[in-house]
Amino acid sequence: MVTLKDIAKKCGVSVASVSKAINHMPGVGTQTAKKIRETAKSMGYLPNAAAQALKTNRTFIIGVLLEDDDSHGLLHQFFVSVLESFKIKMEEQGYDLMLMNRTVGKRTISYLEHCRYSNMDGVFVACIDFSDKELLELADAGIPMVTIDHTYPGHPSVYSDNVDGISKAVRYAHKLGHTRIGFISGALAGVTNKRFEGYQSTLKELGIPYRDEYYKVSRYRDVSLTKKLTADLLKLPQPPTCILMPDDYAGLGGLSAIREAGLRVPEDISVIGFDGLEFMAHISPRLTTINQDTQQIGEAAAELLLKQIDNKGKEALPAKSIKVPVTLIEGETVVLPKKG
Amino acid sequence: MVTLKDIAKKCGVSVASVSKAINHMPGVGTQTAKKIRETAKSMGYLPNAAAQALKTNRTFIIGVLLEDDDSHGLLHQFFVSVLESFKIKMEEQGYDLMLMNRTVGKRTISYLEHCRYSNMDGVFVACIDFSDKELLELADAGIPMVTIDHTYPGHPSVYSDNVDGISKAVRYAHKLGHTRIGFISGALAGVTNKRFEGYQSTLKELGIPYRDEYYKVSRYRDVSLTKKLTADLLKLPQPPTCILMPDDYAGLGGLSAIREAGLRVPEDISVIGFDGLEFMAHISPRLTTINQDTQQIGEAAAELLLKQIDNKGKEALPAKSIKVPVTLIEGETVVLPKKG
DNA sequence: TTGTAAGCGTTATCAA
DNA sequence: TTGATAACGCTTACAA
């Protein structure tokens, strides 16, 4: 391992000069600096992250918190897509991503402890249970943090325009002739409330009365619960002709309930998803869905987090929240309803 | 931030004693040690990872290399599942996972450089292009490393039993009456060769002549290429009655080609996938597939890597390779072929 | 049993 | 412009 000392020896200068030269700091002659940098390169010098971190209190490590109830956060296509985009942006700025956990070395530690132990410069949170005490603790610790789909006081966050998302879905269904539009939402949470708001207000605007029996609360990504609730909707004396699903993945449960009821999509009943997951484009029938722009979400999150980090120590930034537009992807699962 | 010094002061002992007590090292009185540990706890002490790393040359950081051609490694369900399982095992032993990349701070660095810079204790590789020069460089650097689906000389690796996997698929198809069994493989690579070996040898065993026109080379997870190649198979004067796909995901392309040819699965043609991805269980028809045991693969990888790390500096371990059994998941995509 | 002190590789202050 | 030196928080001989 090549150290500053080695370079100093070879160049016949002091470590201090080498450090200055390599970091492009003032206080070294242009010639000396050049020579130092050249020998450093030729010797294959790389700074030692641990030493730098110890000295500067900056690690350039960002903690990533991606967990769901089954702690399989990495299997959530949507969040992982956001993470990919976030990752690219952060890496451009020299940051590394570290997966967070609560079990460092046999015994359990909290997220906050993990964060402190590793000296993380910031945290990316796209967890689902935002009411987790440990998350609240983390949010209160004053560590730069950005969240997706939830806002903690004092921290920036990024959302899709959920109100508009459901609104687009309802309008689209209505345009194709539907008035009996059911909505199976994810579990209650900020995002879910927004979507419900979009559902109710758009129905109202369109002059369609809201029917309580057309609204069900499922859980995001929960195929079997969504399947059951879809079956329940289908059993109503006057079932909806179009159903909005919590998300594309959970929607698979909806499709399967419809199939098992002996009905066809879209001939007998229309379906709209949410997310715009890549793989849905490859299955039949192609799901009509509300697309969340994961790339933009990830990039926005990176920007906000970087700003927080740069600002650390100074007076608090106003915690900005960015809303990202959504689009409707026309698939094959919505058509004119049959006369009922 | 609480440091050893703070604790030492409070307890009226030296930093050395505190360090020993906290690390359960000999050389401190039982009483003193106990008191020290208690105050450490009450003060909320956490070791400083950077300082420890600097001193001990151990970071407890494992680099994770998950990339495909589109550098969207995290979207590969199969590898991510393996990673999840690997992660859990590693975390139990106190390791953190860091996502590797080649762009630390504007300019590009190699994987090896990233590895050295961050002082990673080991690397987990589940990349696809194993011939990447940077990977070879990394493999030659003597850093503990474990790979999935490929073996580098001197390093341990974990595989599914690919020969048996395809063999199981062929046997199953044959048992249900198929003799015209096509195989669309992934791009040429060790794993692919094994699968092809299983394909050929099993056909032979069953007394089915190998037909070159029934074998096509696609790419893993490539929906559109697999779709095209499936279409090609269907256009043969005497098309296969059952097709083995590169993997479940690419198989979606196969299904869609069959659909577009006006044929039905499984009535007109049978299909078998590979991987056993979770979501395939939720779509219709449920794909019959060869399941790779991602949990076992991840755990095995963790074990092998841990062994390498513990052994570092000592004489090289024999580079062990672990083969994990696969199972066939009966879905709905294989039935008795129609008389052709 | 306890403490002193050196050193890991950096950065940053201050004097030359 | 340069370089000695202290310090970051920790581990570990070694001395007391």
Side-chain angles (χ1 to χ4, degrees):
Chain A
M1 183 188 195
V2 184
T3 69
L4 291 188
K5 214 162 136 189
D6 300 326
I7 302 171
K9 206 174 292 171
K10 192 149 192 173
C11 289
V13 296
S14 72
V15 229
S17 295
V18 178
S19 174
K20 286 176 206 157
I22 286 178
N23 295 307
H24 291 88
M25 284 290 177
V28 233
T30 331
Q31 289 309 314
T32 340
K34 198 178 162 200
K35 186 182 154 201
I36 291 174
R37 270 182 238 120
E38 274 163 7
T39 35
K41 193 163 192 180
S42 78
M43 294 175 78
Y45 170 77
L46 273 180
N48 179 314
Q52 282 184 324
L54 182 59
K55 188 65 194 174
T56 62
N57 268 315
R58 293 275 266 121
T59 54
F60 286 88
I61 292 177
I62 301 296
V64 170
L65 207 34
L66 250 195
E67 302 252 329
D68 69 358
D69 305 343
D70 317 320
S71 71
H72 281 154
L74 288 174
L75 295 175
H76 273 244
Q77 300 262 349
F78 169 68
F79 290 121
V80 169
S81 295
V82 173
L83 178 63
E84 276 282 0
S85 149
F86 174 81
K87 175 169 179 269
I88 291 169
K89 262 282 187 273
M90 293 305 288
E91 284 171 356
E92 278 174 14
Q93 303 302 318
Y95 288 87
D96 275 316
L97 267 44
M98 179 177 274
L99 304 180
M100 294 186 67
N101 61 263
R102 346 164 80 130
T103 49
V104 157
K106 294 288 175 198
R107 55 161 213 168
T108 312
I109 62 170
S110 70
Y111 291 138
L112 177 57
E113 284 171 328
H114 187 199
C115 210
R116 284 214 211 283
Y117 168 73
S118 297
N119 280 302
M120 298 176 188
D121 286 343
V123 186
F124 168 92
V125 180
C127 177
I128 292 208
D129 182 10
F130 288 101
S131 63
D132 186 324
K133 273 185 196 155
E134 288 205 4
L135 261 180
L136 296 173
E137 180 195 41
L138 186 58
D140 283 342
I143 295 167
M145 172 166 144
V146 64
T147 48
I148 309 297
D149 277 2
H150 183 83
T151 301
Y152 287 112
H155 293 284
S157 55
V158 187
Y159 292 84
S160 278
D161 189 339
N162 287 290
V163 174
D164 185 52
I166 293 297
S167 181
K168 278 195 161 81
V170 171
R171 271 172 220 286
Y172 180 76
H174 181 254
K175 196 178 75 187
L176 295 203
H178 293 269
T179 53
R180 278 149 50 195
I181 302 169
F183 178 29
I184 302 180
S185 78
L188 296 182
V191 166
T192 312
N193 294 339
K194 285 291 178 193
R195 294 191 189 169
F196 183 67
E197 188 187 320
Y199 176 63
Q200 271 203 316
S201 65
T202 308
L203 285 180
K204 196 167 179 184
E205 250 175 65
L206 297 172
I208 304 173
Y210 168 78
R211 297 200 194 185
D212 209 42
E213 73 268 29
Y214 280 6
Y215 176 59
K216 302 275 183 196
V217 179
S218 177
R219 292 165 16 133
Y220 292 108
R221 238 186 89 89
D222 190 323
V223 177
S224 57
L225 179 53
T226 305
K227 179 171 175 181
K228 188 194 163 298
L229 295 174
T230 303
D232 289 350
L233 284 180
L234 298 177
K235 276 184 226 131
L236 289 175
Q238 195 182 37
T241 57
C242 177
I243 303 179
L244 315 187
M245 295 292 169
D247 57 65
D248 292 351
Y249 196 84
L252 292 175
L255 294 176
S256 118
I258 295 170
R259 222 159 33 229
E260 289 182 13
L263 300 170
R264 290 156 312 159
V265 174
E267 294 85 344
D268 300 311
I269 181 153
S270 294
V271 170
I272 303 180
F274 208 106
D275 278 356
L277 300 185
E278 184 204 1
F279 82 89
M280 298 300 290
H282 303 304
I283 74 170
S284 170
R286 251 175 34 245
L287 189 65
T288 295
T289 192
I290 302 299
N291 186 62
Q292 302 200 59
D293 189 335
T294 54
Q295 178 167 348
Q296 223 183 110
I297 295 174
E299 285 176 5
E303 260 172 54
L304 290 175
L305 186 58
L306 288 168
K307 223 171 268 173
Q308 293 278 318
I309 292 175
D310 289 344
N311 196 66
K312 213 184 167 188
K314 301 173 202 163
E315 55 175 327
L317 283 173
K320 207 169 150 192
S321 183
I322 291 183
K323 199 194 282 177
V324 175
V326 297
T327 51
L328 184 136
I329 298 180
E330 267 190 280
E332 310 164 332
T333 56
V334 184
V335 295
L336 187 73
K338 296 200 291 192
K339 305 285 177 213
Chain B
M1 185 188 195
V2 183
T3 69
L4 291 188
K5 212 163 137 190
D6 300 327
I7 303 171
K9 205 175 294 173
K10 192 149 190 171
C11 290
V13 296
S14 72
V15 216
S17 296
V18 178
S19 174
K20 286 176 208 156
I22 286 177
N23 295 308
H24 291 88
M25 285 291 178
V28 233
T30 331
Q31 288 311 313
T32 339
K34 197 177 163 201
K35 187 182 155 201
I36 291 175
R37 270 182 238 119
E38 275 163 7
T39 35
K41 192 163 193 179
S42 76
M43 293 175 78
Y45 170 76
L46 272 180
N48 179 316
Q52 281 183 324
L54 183 58
K55 185 67 194 175
T56 61
N57 267 316
R58 294 276 266 118
T59 54
F60 287 90
I61 292 178
I62 302 297
V64 171
L65 208 34
L66 251 195
E67 302 252 331
D68 70 358
D69 305 342
D70 318 321
S71 72
H72 281 154
L74 288 174
L75 294 175
H76 274 243
Q77 300 263 349
F78 168 68
F79 290 121
V80 169
S81 295
V82 173
L83 178 63
E84 276 282 1
S85 148
F86 175 80
K87 177 170 178 267
I88 291 170
K89 262 282 186 274
M90 293 306 289
E91 284 172 354
E92 278 174 14
Q93 304 301 318
Y95 287 87
D96 275 316
L97 267 44
M98 179 178 274
L99 304 179
M100 294 186 68
N101 62 264
R102 349 163 77 131
T103 49
V104 157
K106 294 287 174 199
R107 55 166 210 160
T108 312
I109 62 170
S110 70
Y111 291 139
L112 177 57
E113 284 171 328
H114 188 197
C115 210
R116 284 214 210 286
Y117 167 73
S118 297
N119 282 300
M120 298 177 188
D121 287 344
V123 185
F124 168 93
V125 180
C127 179
I128 291 206
D129 182 10
F130 289 101
S131 64
D132 186 325
K133 272 185 197 157
E134 288 206 3
L135 260 180
L136 296 172
E137 180 195 42
L138 186 58
D140 283 342
I143 295 167
M145 172 166 142
V146 64
T147 48
I148 308 297
D149 276 1
H150 183 83
T151 302
Y152 287 112
H155 293 284
S157 56
V158 187
Y159 291 83
S160 278
D161 189 339
N162 287 290
V163 175
D164 185 52
I166 293 297
S167 180
K168 278 194 160 82
V170 172
R171 272 172 219 287
Y172 180 76
H174 180 255
K175 199 179 74 187
L176 295 202
H178 293 270
T179 53
R180 279 148 50 195
I181 302 170
F183 177 30
I184 302 180
S185 78
L188 296 180
V191 165
T192 312
N193 294 339
K194 285 292 179 193
R195 294 190 190 171
F196 182 68
E197 187 187 321
Y199 176 64
Q200 272 204 315
S201 65
T202 308
L203 285 180
K204 194 167 180 182
E205 249 175 66
L206 297 173
I208 304 173
Y210 167 79
R211 297 202 197 184
D212 209 40
E213 72 268 30
Y214 280 5
Y215 175 60
K216 303 274 181 196
V217 178
S218 177
R219 293 170 10 139
Y220 293 107
R221 237 186 89 88
D222 190 323
V223 177
S224 56
L225 179 53
T226 304
K227 180 172 173 179
K228 187 195 163 301
L229 294 174
T230 304
D232 289 349
L233 285 180
L234 297 178
K235 275 182 229 133
L236 289 175
Q238 194 181 40
T241 56
C242 176
I243 304 178
L244 315 187
M245 296 292 169
D247 56 66
D248 293 351
Y249 196 84
L252 292 175
L255 295 177
S256 121
I258 295 171
R259 221 159 33 228
E260 290 183 11
L263 301 171
R264 289 156 311 161
V265 174
E267 295 84 345
D268 300 312
I269 182 152
S270 294
V271 171
I272 303 181
F274 208 105
D275 278 356
L277 300 185
E278 184 205 2
F279 82 89
M280 298 300 291
H282 302 304
I283 73 170
S284 170
R286 251 174 33 245
L287 189 66
T288 295
T289 192
I290 303 299
N291 185 63
Q292 302 201 60
D293 189 335
T294 54
Q295 178 166 348
Q296 222 182 112
I297 294 173
E299 286 175 5
E303 260 171 54
L304 289 175
L305 186 58
L306 288 169
K307 222 171 268 172
Q308 294 278 318
I309 293 175
D310 289 345
N311 195 67
K312 213 185 166 186
K314 300 172 203 165
E315 57 177 325
L317 283 172
K320 207 170 150 192
S321 182
I322 291 183
K323 198 193 283 177
V324 175
V326 297
T327 51
L328 184 137
I329 299 180
E330 267 190 283
E332 311 163 332
T333 56
V334 184
V335 295
L336 188 72
K338 295 200 292 192
K339 304 286 177 216

